[in-house]
Amino acid sequence: MESELAKASLRPLGRSSLSVSPLGLGCWQFSRGKGIVGGYWSNLDESDILEIVRVSLEGGMNWVDTAEIYGGGKSEEALAHVLDQLKKEGSPHAAPVIATKWWPLLRTASSITATIDERIRCLGGREIDLYQIHQPFSLSSIASEMKAMAGLVKAGKIRYVGVSNYSAKQMTEAHRLLQQYGLHLVSNQVKYNLLDRKIDRNGTMAAAKELGISIIAYSPLQQGILTGRFHKDPAQIGAVSRVRRMQSGLDEKSMARSKPLIDSLTVLADKYTVTPGQIALNWLIHYNGDTVVAIPGASKARHARENIGAMSFRLTQDELEHLNGASWSALK
Ligand SMILES: NC(=O)c1ccc[n+]([C@@H]2O[C@H](COP(=O)([O-])OP(=O)(O)OC[C@H]3O[C@@H](n4cnc5c(N)ncnc54)[C@H](OP(=O)(O)O)[C@@H]3O)[C@@H](O)[C@H]2O)c1
């Protein structure tokens, strides 16, 4: 049932031929505790990862987002293993759209070309549908990076090009450069949720809409806060690392400020017999038309089960606007 509903609402990713479900699976959580950002999440074992991927894909997600930096290839490898397993079982969901990312820090654009075969190897030889520049800080210019990415499309190593954490100006520049090679910039992956509306203020959302570029919203649940679980049970905050507490706004002042928003999510959740997190995700994938798709991460199969449920109902326009107001009030 959920799968059918989600299928009905596939949407194009930017101006590409890729049709994606409004929610895809974020795979940072599959870093196996390795690398410079892998320790952020607990180390999941392969059976947990298999269940999370299975539940997500069988429930209607048709794409996954990973990255080189997530465990130095460990997330890509874990994903490849579980997709191999699903294929062996004859699952019709064993070949999702795959998005991954090149890590630019302290590197030049030549590494984009030099490392692509390693990315494909980590993904078990699978085609990379969307290859993204993970963030704008690098030793090379955007022009050199777009030239290298266009070369990969031409060589048939990747299908489409995206960026991540780019400002409106950097995104527009990347788009203009790719057009010189007859390509479009398909997406910009940025932080976006009801408690983080920076891209609505700094022109990124407006530019994306104008240029037909999809926004891939990362941390769509503000790393769990928008599920209401930390407001309901503040003792859970103690189990979260200091860096995550700081990044997500798990301090007393921020929690007090976000409480009325969580209350609004809870009222709507009761109305639809869903959860506050599902309401938050539903807002994200509908408030800006088809421009925003989101990639919630999960460390448990029950998270994935809950998150896919956000694709099986639709808030009314009045409700979307009401949450928009509650969101801005929480950010004042
Ligand atoms: N491009 C970038 O720079 C960038 C940056 C960050 C993330 N990303 C991508 O975006 C994805 C998602 O972002 P994110 O992981 O930062 O944030 P998120 O999706 O907002 O939060 C994920 C975390 O929230 C909790 N959670 C998720 N679903 C839940 C549910 N239904 N009920 C209760 N708790 C739930 C879990 O925390 P616990 O594990 O503690 O239970 C989970 O690990 C990542 O996997 C990654 O692919 C990209």
Side-chain angles (χ1 to χ4, degrees):
M1 172 69 166
E2 276 163 348
S3 182
E4 287 311 304
L5 278 162
K7 216 183 287 165
S9 63
L10 291 184
R11 48 181 80 167
L13 198 64
R15 289 195 191 136
S16 77
S17 66
L18 300 172
S19 275
V20 295
S21 44
L23 296 179
L25 178 64
C27 300
W28 179 12
Q29 280 73 3
F30 304 163
S31 303
R32 316 299 294 267
K34 299 276 190 295
I36 49 173
V37 301
Y40 198 91
W41 303 104
S42 53
N43 185 1
L44 303 182
D45 62 35
E46 201 161 306
S47 61
D48 294 328
I49 296 176
L50 175 63
E51 257 339 272
I52 290 168
V53 175
R54 186 200 300 279
V55 163
S56 301
L57 299 182
E58 287 178 354
M61 287 184 181
N62 76 341
W63 63 293
V64 294
D65 174 80
T66 179
E68 173 184 17
I69 197 73
Y70 300 162
K74 291 287 175 213
S75 165
E76 294 168 321
E77 283 175 353
L79 196 54
H81 283 146
V82 302
L83 294 178
D84 285 347
Q85 176 65 29
L86 293 181
K87 194 173 168 193
K88 224 181 285 166
E89 294 170 11
S91 165
H93 306 290
V97 168
I98 294 183
T100 190
K101 318 182 194 80
W102 171 73
W103 182 250
L105 200 66
L106 300 176
R107 278 169 151 180
T108 63
S110 64
S111 123
I112 293 176
T113 318
T115 57
I116 191 66
D117 288 339
E118 174 63 3
R119 302 273 60 71
I120 294 170
R121 187 196 65 75
C122 286
L123 287 163
R126 288 174 176 79
E127 184 165 41
I128 295 173
D129 297 294
L130 178 70
Y131 202 37
Q132 306 154 96
I133 307 276
H134 205 136
Q135 40 98 339
F137 307 105
S138 137
L139 299 175
S140 285
S141 62
I142 294 178
S144 315
E145 291 178 356
M146 292 305 130
K147 186 177 176 197
M149 294 294 253
L152 295 186
V153 174
K154 197 164 172 222
K157 302 267 184 188
I158 64 172
R159 292 183 68 197
Y160 294 102
V161 180
V163 293
S164 177
N165 297 304
Y166 271 38
S167 67
K169 192 167 164 226
Q170 289 161 335
M171 179 182 78
T172 305
E173 171 78 346
H175 184 68
R176 185 186 65 76
L177 288 158
L178 282 175
Q179 285 187 315
Q180 293 174 1
Y181 302 98
L183 303 173
H184 288 283
L185 181 71
V186 165
S187 56
N188 188 6
Q189 183 176 138
V190 287
K191 191 168 185 206
Y192 187 54
N193 66 52
L194 282 163
L195 285 171
D196 194 320
R197 306 286 299 273
K198 280 195 273 309
I199 65 164
D200 283 319
R201 285 187 168 130
N202 65 18
T204 306
M205 178 68 82
K209 285 181 178 171
E210 196 185 317
L211 298 172
I213 294 168
S214 284
I215 292 292
I216 300 179
Y218 73 69
S219 305
L221 291 168
Q222 187 69 4
Q223 301 195 332
I225 297 182
L226 287 165
T227 67
R229 75 185 225 206
F230 296 108
H231 285 83
K232 203 170 169 187
D233 177 14
Q236 285 193 34
I237 298 173
V240 167
S241 68
R242 204 169 139 255
V243 51
R244 177 169 163 194
R245 283 205 299 270
M246 276 164 59
Q247 274 197 11
S248 318
L250 275 170
D251 56 274
E252 223 173 280
K253 204 169 142 203
S254 308
M255 291 287 284
R257 214 169 34 217
S258 53
K259 174 82 170 57
L261 172 64
I262 302 296
D263 290 344
S264 295
L265 294 173
T266 307
V267 168
L268 283 168
D270 289 346
K271 176 181 165 190
Y272 283 88
T273 332
V274 296
T275 64
Q278 289 173 323
I279 298 288
L281 292 174
N282 196 274
W283 179 87
L284 209 49
I285 57 179
H286 292 305
Y287 186 66
N288 290 283
D290 277 357
T291 297
V292 177
V293 289
I295 46 170
S299 63
K300 292 168 190 72
R302 70 176 153 79
H303 293 163
R305 201 165 289 119
E306 183 177 324
N307 297 344
I308 52 171
M311 295 189 286
S312 50
F313 67 102
R314 195 181 175 124
L315 293 168
T316 66
Q317 196 56 38
D318 281 354
E319 289 162 347
L320 293 171
E321 289 302 344
H322 169 71
L323 287 176
N324 178 51
S327 158
W328 285 120
S329 299
L331 294 168
K332 269 185 198 147

